[in-house]
Amino acid sequence: MSARQPRPDMPSTDQDDRYLATTHEVFNQPPVLENYNLFQQDIALQEAALREGAKSATADLKAFGALAGAAETIDLGFRANANKPTFNTHDRFGHRVDEVDFHPAYHELMRIAFDNGLHSSPWSQPGQGAHVTRAAKYYMHSQVEAAHCCPVTMTFAAIPSIRKQPELAADWEARILANDYDPRNLPDSQKSSVTIGMAMTEKQGGSDVRANSTKAYPVAAKGAGQAYELAGHKWFVSAPMCDAFLVLAQTQGGLSCFLMPRWRPDGTKNPWQVQRLKNKMGNIANASSEAELRGALAWMVGEEGRGVPTIIEMVAMTRFDCMIGSSAGMRQAVAQATHHCRHRSAFGARLIEQPLMQNVLADLALESEAALAYTMRIARALDNQDREHERLLARLATPVGKYWICKRTPNHAYEAMECIGGSGVMEDCIMPRLFRESPVNAIWEGSGNVQCLDTLRALQKEPETLDAFFREAAEAKGADRRFDQFLAQLQHDFADISDFQYRARNLVDRMALVMQASLLIRHSDKAVTDAFCATRLQSGGGMNYGNLPSGTDPVAILKRATPVVG
Ligand SMILES: Cc1cc2nc3c(=O)[nH]c(=O)nc-3n(C[C@H](O)[C@H](O)[C@H](O)COP(=O)(O)OP(=O)(O)OC[C@H]3O[C@@H](n4cnc5c(N)ncnc54)[C@H](O)[C@@H]3O)c2cc1C
């Protein structure tokens, strides 16, 4: 019987009572944001990909955008996070296995990432737009599910460090770059595709890795490329099912970098023992662990005592991916918030038409577009490291961007959640996941202050980086009075950096803003540029989102940012 049919047991005279089974009609709720193309529905992304050198990849990016936005892919993200990875030290017969069990949805997301070269393409197919194309894909994939992107990033980022030891690279590189994801817990010699993790952080020192206490003892000869056994512990090791890890440990010659496989070449388990999984507030689908090394076999990568300069090549790439990941989190938050408000009415109008909500949404959209513009510009710099300007720019702009973009994300996620109202807090909406994920990028791979200190280190070691940074920013000079003044003041404030450490956050904040403004002025819509300069370069008083002054054009900003679905 349909809900609208009269109930035979009710007296036919009472019309209202006969329909009691139909409590209400559901209306004024948005359709699910799915089955949309994350590339074609993102104007800023399309423009950035084209501008920064990925024109020839347009068809590929469109196809990937459709895959990322498919309902089935989005569902994988939910399922991978609803099921935390579990850990077993031993199998049921008592053999030590150190095995993490992930939900099949996690493996499927990994398979999509590897299939599409998110861990490999700029190395296996370098050239014009390679980093830009990969960054655009990673940006879309990370919007669907961010946690599994951690091992994708580490595998990708390991290449520059491993290449420092050519015979190790010859053994490992082809398998690292292979696109057929293989999660089996087997010796790497039996696998044609492997994943790589990193183990630096210890209990007594994370940011300050020089405090590492793990020791490395040579098996026979000492030095680069030689075999060592490692003894000690690591306090954070994400993706512990990786086939090998870059590890920092102390030798007599100082802190050195090692490549440590999970299995020994003779097929026995390397005594690298996971103690337990971290109980994380976010980044749920990905496992992170605590581990002990009990004579684990490993090979030295790079020179003895030069562990930090060796692994920093990997860290620089992971920091870049943190920028992509946080930009992606902001984009997904804007997509969710604008989509909701486009379909939801309150007090007689759609929320996206209510002036106060327009102001909040447009402000969120500005933040997201500025983050993307900055990230994609650095992707182009990575594609052109043979040019001195691009090399210097990437060196300085990476810690600045990693600090700023990752730090802007948590409040952005929360504000976007509030645009959705109560449903935005519910676990069947992606917003709680975006919110819980949002602090992670800011903390790992060098927390905020550490990025500011790295900015200072770059300035001190290579003062030309600052010239390159300002040269790039100044390309927008003359187009906006507010920008010109902001740039001039910042350049003036760099005249004396004697107390840089104390003032670092303020200076680095403004570096990020001046670069974002420069990029938007040169490349974005006038409404976006104008509102960005008005709110970020000129003090308007307010601290929260929703501070666009009168005269700005939120409708144009939102037209650019809102996915049209349903
Ligand atoms: C989910 C997750 C996964 C992780 N996975 C890995 C992994 O796979 N491999 C790995 O090696 N590590 C991993 N980490 C560890 C992470 O990189 C560290 O937590 C991070 O580097 C900070 O180190 P710490 O926790 O020891 O904090 P600390 O180094 O004690 O820093 C605490 C605070 O002090 C600040 N600080 C430090 N030095 C200074 C200074 N001189 N001046 C001013 N401020 C300073 C820092 O910015 C930070 O805010 C992971 C962390 C998380 C949260």
Side-chain angles (χ1 to χ4, degrees):
M1 180 166 60
S2 100
R4 296 300 300 170
Q5 277 175 343
R7 285 171 53 178
D9 55 327
M10 290 289 177
S12 59
T13 48
D14 189 340
Q15 292 294 322
D16 288 342
D17 284 356
R18 283 196 302 156
Y19 297 114
L20 276 181
T22 308
T23 59
H24 66 290
E25 204 180 310
V26 178
F27 67 101
N28 196 21
Q29 289 285 343
V32 188
L33 182 56
E34 62 185 20
N35 294 324
Y36 70 116
N37 190 308
L38 265 67
F39 187 67
Q40 290 182 296
Q41 293 274 7
D42 188 340
I43 294 169
L45 176 62
Q46 290 177 58
E47 289 177 358
L50 203 64
R51 170 172 86 235
E52 306 298 0
K55 184 171 181 213
S56 61
T58 305
D60 192 16
L61 292 172
K62 270 188 204 165
F64 192 78
L67 173 64
E72 297 75 21
T73 316
I74 291 170
D75 186 50
L76 292 174
F78 280 94
R79 282 191 288 133
N81 282 279
N83 298 276
K84 275 192 175 188
T86 55
F87 172 62
N88 273 317
T89 49
H90 295 79
D91 68 11
R92 67 191 174 111
F93 306 106
H95 305 111
R96 181 103 204 174
V97 286
D98 292 285
E99 195 153 71
V100 180
D101 194 18
F102 295 92
H103 190 267
Y106 167 90
H107 290 304
E108 185 55 17
L109 288 162
M110 289 290 281
R111 193 195 57 71
I112 292 173
F114 275 65
D115 239 18
N116 285 279
L118 299 194
H119 69 301
S120 64
S121 54
W123 316 127
S124 51
Q125 298 153 304
Q128 180 67 17
H131 276 286
V132 175
T133 304
R134 174 197 175 260
K137 285 188 186 174
Y138 188 110
Y139 179 75
M140 293 187 265
H141 199 52
S142 183
Q143 288 182 54
V144 175
E145 207 293 305
H148 82 285
C149 290
C150 165
V152 175
T153 284
M154 292 193 293
T155 304
F156 161 72
I159 289 288
S161 290
I162 291 179
R163 282 183 178 169
K164 295 218 161 193
Q165 202 55 50
E167 70 278 20
L168 285 178
D171 185 12
W172 286 86
E173 184 163 326
R175 289 181 292 152
I176 295 171
L177 298 181
N179 283 8
D180 49 335
Y181 171 62
D182 181 353
R184 290 175 303 160
N185 187 11
L186 289 178
D188 63 85
S189 57
Q190 296 177 32
K191 296 172 81 170
S192 57
S193 164
V194 295
T195 51
I196 307 290
M198 70 201 302
M200 299 187 293
T201 310
E202 296 186 5
K203 290 170 188 165
Q204 73 286 350
S207 310
D208 186 5
V209 290
R210 291 166 307 178
N212 273 192
S213 64
T214 297
K215 299 257 185 325
Y217 303 94
V219 173
K222 293 200 293 190
Q226 298 299 329
Y228 284 70
E229 285 182 337
L230 312 186
H233 81 283
K234 294 291 165 182
W235 182 228
F236 282 91
V237 186
S238 286
M241 293 307 287
C242 284
D243 296 286
F245 302 84
L246 283 173
V247 182
L248 288 179
Q250 304 281 1
T251 65
Q252 281 178 343
L255 193 64
S256 307
C257 180
F258 297 87
L259 182 68
M260 183 197 67
R262 273 167 47 78
W263 296 75
R264 288 177 173 240
D266 64 4
T268 58
K269 254 196 105 269
N270 212 3
W272 150 266
Q273 297 183 344
V274 173
Q275 303 301 301
R276 60 174 176 171
L277 295 188
K278 293 285 194 189
N279 188 9
K280 296 181 285 184
M281 68 163 265
N283 199 252
I284 298 294
N286 174 39
S288 300
S289 66
E290 297 165 14
E292 289 183 359
L293 305 92
R294 300 164 183 262
L297 188 64
W299 286 266
M300 188 181 282
V301 183
E303 284 174 49
E304 183 170 7
R306 303 276 299 157
V308 173
T310 303
I311 209 164
I312 206 77
E313 303 266 341
M314 178 176 188
V315 172
M317 296 312 304
T318 62
R319 288 176 179 173
F320 171 63
D321 273 15
C322 289
M323 284 163 55
I324 314 176
S326 290
S327 304
M330 285 198 255
R331 169 61 196 159
Q332 182 58 208
V334 166
Q336 293 290 337
T338 54
H339 171 76
H340 179 89
C341 293
R342 184 170 160 263
H343 289 279
R344 175 91 169 166
S345 297
F347 300 98
R350 288 189 305 163
L351 281 171
I352 204 166
E353 289 159 358
Q354 298 281 13
L356 180 52
M357 184 57 99
Q358 285 182 329
N359 197 325
V360 174
L361 290 172
D363 210 353
L364 291 170
L366 291 182
E367 194 68 35
S368 160
E369 181 166 346
L372 174 70
Y374 190 109
T375 300
M376 295 296 267
R377 176 63 188 89
I378 304 312
R380 172 151 66 96
L382 294 176
D383 275 329
N384 293 284
Q385 287 292 283
D386 50 340
R387 295 189 204 154
E388 188 61 354
H389 173 76
E390 301 294 305
R391 187 188 70 75
L392 294 168
L393 182 66
R395 172 64 190 94
L396 191 59
T398 302
V400 171
K402 198 279 188 184
Y403 160 75
W404 176 254
I405 293 170
C406 300
K407 197 158 284 299
R408 294 291 287 175
T409 307
N411 194 37
H412 187 277
Y414 146 68
E415 194 71 69
M417 180 186 271
E418 189 170 313
C419 293
I420 296 173
S423 301
V425 185
M426 300 304 130
E427 290 288 356
D428 46 10
C429 170
I430 197 173
M431 285 313 309
R433 175 147 47 100
L434 293 180
F435 182 61
R436 284 197 304 266
E437 193 70 33
S438 63
V440 177
N441 277 334
I443 291 172
W444 66 15
E445 306 307 334
S447 312
N449 287 355
V450 171
Q451 299 307 308
C452 293
L453 295 174
D454 191 43
T455 303
L456 175 61
R457 192 172 307 113
L459 294 176
Q460 285 171 335
K461 281 189 90 171
E462 281 190 290
E464 316 85 86
T465 53
L466 191 63
D467 303 333
F469 191 93
F470 280 137
R471 193 162 53 247
E472 175 79 20
E475 281 186 26
K477 245 170 120 171
D480 188 294
R481 178 186 40 80
R482 297 162 296 192
F483 173 79
D484 292 351
Q485 283 173 0
F486 192 87
L487 175 63
Q489 182 63 51
L490 182 59
Q491 284 179 304
H492 173 266
D493 292 349
F494 267 96
D496 174 14
I497 57 166
S498 51
D499 65 343
F500 183 98
Q501 271 207 34
Y502 191 66
R503 294 189 293 138
R505 284 207 176 201
N506 177 272
L507 289 168
V508 177
D509 281 358
R510 289 190 286 147
M511 287 175 80
L513 285 171
V514 89
M515 186 60 78
Q516 290 185 324
S518 169
L519 289 162
L520 295 178
I521 288 170
R522 282 182 279 154
H523 306 301
S524 188
D525 188 272
K526 193 178 169 323
V528 172
T529 304
D530 181 45
F532 191 88
C533 292
T535 47
R536 273 65 168 175
L537 306 187
Q538 262 188 335
S539 169
M543 303 285 279
N544 285 321
Y545 285 105
N547 260 292
L548 307 191
S550 303
T552 43
D553 184 356
V555 175
I557 298 168
L558 290 174
K559 189 155 184 264
R560 205 173 149 74
T562 307
V564 180
V565 176

